[in-house]
Amino acid sequence: MALVGIGAPWEHQAAAAELAVAGRSVVVATGTASGKSLAYLLPVLSGLVSGEPATALYLAPTKALAADQLRSVRALGLPDVRAATYDGDTPPAERDWVRAHANLVLTNPDMLHRGMLPGHPRWAAYLRRLRYVVVDECHAYRGVFGSHVAQVLRRLARVCDRYGAAPTFLLASATVSEPAASAGRLVGVPVSEIIDDASPRGATEFALWEPPMSDLVGEREMLVRRSATAEAADLLAHLVADGTRTLAFVRSRRGAEAVALAAQRALREAVPELADRVAAYRAGYLPEERRALEVALQRGDLLGLAATSALELGVDVAGLDAVVLAGFPGRVASVWQQAGRAGRAGRSSLAVLVASDDPLDSYLVHHPEALFGRPVEATVLDPDNPYVLGPHLCAAAAELPLTESDLDRFGPATDGVLTKLVDRGLLRRRPAGWFWTRRERACDLADIRSVGGPPIRLVEASTGRLLGTVDNSAAHSTVHEGAVYLHQGESYVVRSLDLAEDVALVEPDDPDYSTSARDLTDIAVVEALKTEQCPEVCLHFGTVDVTRQVVSYLRRRLLTGEILGEVGLDLPARRLRTRAVWWTATAALLERAGLDREDVAGAAHAAEHASIGLLPLFATCDRWDIGGVSMAMHPDTGRTTVFVYDGSPGGAGFAERGYAAGRSWLKATQEAIAGCGCDSGCPSCVQSPKCGNGNSPLNKAGASRLLRAVVEELGPAPA
Ligand SMILES: [Zn+2]
Ligand SMILES: [Zn+2]
């Protein structure tokens, strides 16, 4: 199967610049990491408008990317461009200079939210002339984080409006489906799209690789497949032994190191002189170290490099002979981005996706058309989520009192949310509008990287050093006692989690296993917002109350995935009001699916697990962003019901996307189950690593029949 290569982005950039100069917001969607080329657009634009004293703002999802871009811009040596980063690392003295003199400010949404917008009077001169806002890597703004950033950008446009400026948005995205629609939802104004036509650059053979069953026994005595990491290490060693310059993408840094080590070990036996031409690459390296590795690989001094996806953002390695992906990287767009590192003009190259033990991976290796023949996922975000919108309305009111004329800008939910904020005493309604009258900083109400309660602080136990924070809603499952936690590429083990103090004490440690938490969940329907009714099946989207309790965690060996044991945890249950998609089946449908009474619970449970695994194919989530519940008879529906819900308060848009793609999603789920070669269920189809019921009961064959009957009953999509 041939993969079309990626051409030079220049023409698209030029076309985008033309639109932007005419004042039309535009998104450029390209197959490769778009950040690098975009920087060149800014000076181009500044040059175009050099007659006027215009300014531009560049937003990157990470400080590191903004710093990289600053280096690229400065390297151009354009005298009229006064570029500077403005972020948490900028010294106070320099901040004054940036505000007074820079005409290109590179920052991140966090700084815009906490620094620039609340302090907008000090930026008046800059904002008054703000002509362009560049949003780089905009596909990174998805889910709850994306919804927050969408509201921060609405606040920016509103403040600019006050200064008489109406900046044009220029967005750069990886390939996603409907880029203009996603970008428009993000920035809140209509956006035109320019899509890279991916002109060929040498043919890339693309292989989909399903590891064989191993002799390792997993849960419920079921055999499991050989791990993607172990297979990737073998592939890397073989390719390097043939003199092929190969880059292997592995999900975790520890995994990348394990792949590099295993490949070196294999080479030491087969071709000893090549063993030290394989290395690991990780996010923690200094820029010089990264550069040295990139150059070594580019020149061929290094033949094999195992990297984490940190490489995906703005780093310069291309034109390799082969790329190995250990496990589906989570998004179809990422597959193209990573595979796009292979291929040079006039030479053939190879990309291999090795399936990990996950229903989505196993679906993809059996359904190449899902990778090659369909548009990539849509970027999902939901700026109307009241849990996101509320704090930003407070922040906006603190920046400038809100008036009736602002209601449209913040979306249809604004009116209702404002009333609640007034009732809670956070805003005051006066004839002139809504006012923030409290003493604290309104922007502190929104932590744009998380929702739901105060963040949990990660503290190094021996030194008392604060390492960072973890989302409150994720804390029980990620920083419970005994958890292995990766923080900025470094590995820690959690000593204790103090819920009263919101602190997790950790120690640096690098065990050869990973941990995954398991939870028990209950769900109650609050309200169905959308319903599609067939005689024997109903599909719903709506509001639910989820009660979730993390009860234990599993330890798995890194290279093989072997389960080392399960450890019980004593954590309280948590309540969550969120959004869910759910479907119900009548007794008649169960009969049609040939399910006996005692088969139903296992069939629904297996269908739930696999459908959670497949949702990321339709929405930009991973399976840890969502959860599920299934019951042979749910008290709120009176029928067999399977729920899949958004894991953060108020929802993130994933369940809604599942509802919209209901037929295709459930059909793909059925095919994933039916296509797995295992006997009666394995991690590649219906077993879930986070099941609080220990993956019991599960009925693989029953789930396949049930889903087939459900999809048949739903029929073709209404026109
Ligand atoms: Zn299976
Ligand atoms: Zn389960």
Side-chain angles (χ1 to χ4, degrees), residues 676 678 681-682 685 700:
C676 186
C678 72
C682 72
C685 57
K700 179 187 171 186

Side-chain angles (χ1 to χ4, degrees), residues 424-446:
R424 286 170 56 200
L426 286 165
L427 291 182
R428 278 213 203 139
R429 177 86 216 245
R430 290 185 184 146
W434 289 265
F435 287 75
W436 174 258
T437 53
R438 295 159 71 112
R439 294 182 61 180
E440 59 265 43
R441 279 161 55 91
C443 63
D444 289 342
L445 292 178

